[in-house]
Amino acid sequence: MTVRLHGRRAGLDRRRLRSHAVRLLREVGWPRAELSIALVDDAAIAELNARYRGIAKATDVLSFAQLAGAHAERRGALLGDVVVSLDTAAVQARRGRRTLDDEVLRLLIHGTLHLLGHDHERDDEARRMRAEERRVWRALHADAAHEQRSDRRA
């Protein structure tokens, strides 16, 4: 399993994010997958959003899946790329009274589920996706709490 982090730091605990990403891949049933995570600013994600979705504005997260498409057979272990705007994540974290680390993790979960084919265009899809996001969030935080207790005992 490989997790590649690219881009800005902006006060983010990259080691924690990488650890969560590894556990996230296990939790969604892709323990041997490779995942690329790009941490960018609003300008970079707005450019990607315009180029690939035709929407000329920033967004919080974009996903580029490798499971389907013209070159899917050559993807190897690569599940895809998740691109997170740290600028937008910081705004959303403040609004939601979350830490930046938690908001980026929330966006990573959301983006990874998109890589696996989840969507939220229709109400029924959105309900299923939100339920899976909550399930994964709880599982990752339960794992983290267990590791903290184990670390204290050692």
Side-chain angles (χ1 to χ4, degrees):
M1 167 182 338
T2 304
V3 174
R4 294 191 181 138
L5 278 171
H6 311 277
R8 301 174 56 203
R9 292 186 185 275
L12 193 68
D13 184 343
R14 291 169 66 99
R15 195 173 78 198
R16 179 178 177 230
L17 180 60
R18 183 184 308 278
S19 173
H20 276 309
V22 167
R23 290 196 309 268
L24 168 60
L25 290 172
R26 272 197 316 259
E27 189 62 36
V28 296
W30 288 81
R32 291 189 172 90
E34 181 178 323
L35 178 64
S36 172
I37 305 166
L39 306 171
V40 302
D41 60 18
D42 274 352
I45 207 162
E47 182 181 319
L48 291 169
N49 206 19
R51 183 182 312 152
Y52 294 104
R53 297 181 62 223
I55 301 172
K57 67 178 188 172
T59 188
D60 51 4
V61 63
L62 291 171
S63 299
F64 299 95
Q66 299 296 315
L67 292 178
H71 305 288
E73 72 280 353
R74 290 182 276 191
R75 74 175 178 83
L78 182 61
L79 187 58
D81 304 284
V82 176
V83 182
V84 175
S85 169
L86 290 179
D87 295 337
T88 300
V91 169
Q92 291 177 175
R94 282 191 299 275
R95 281 188 195 142
R97 294 188 173 114
R98 289 183 288 274
T99 66
L100 180 61
D101 287 329
D102 279 349
E103 183 63 16
V104 170
L105 176 58
R106 189 186 71 76
L107 295 172
L108 178 61
I109 292 167
H110 185 87
T112 301
L113 292 178
H114 275 305
L115 294 179
L116 297 173
H118 288 265
D119 208 345
H120 46 78
E121 293 299 315
R122 295 190 335 250
D123 288 345
D124 60 326
E125 293 173 332
R127 278 191 300 278
R128 280 194 299 275
M129 188 169 183
R130 276 193 307 273
E132 183 64 359
E133 286 171 336
R134 285 190 301 270
R135 184 193 70 76
V136 171
W137 177 267
R138 285 191 302 268
L140 294 181
H141 280 78
D143 283 352
H146 177 73
E147 283 180 11
Q148 286 176 347
R149 284 190 303 273
S150 295
D151 289 347
R152 282 188 287 234
R153 287 184 205 133

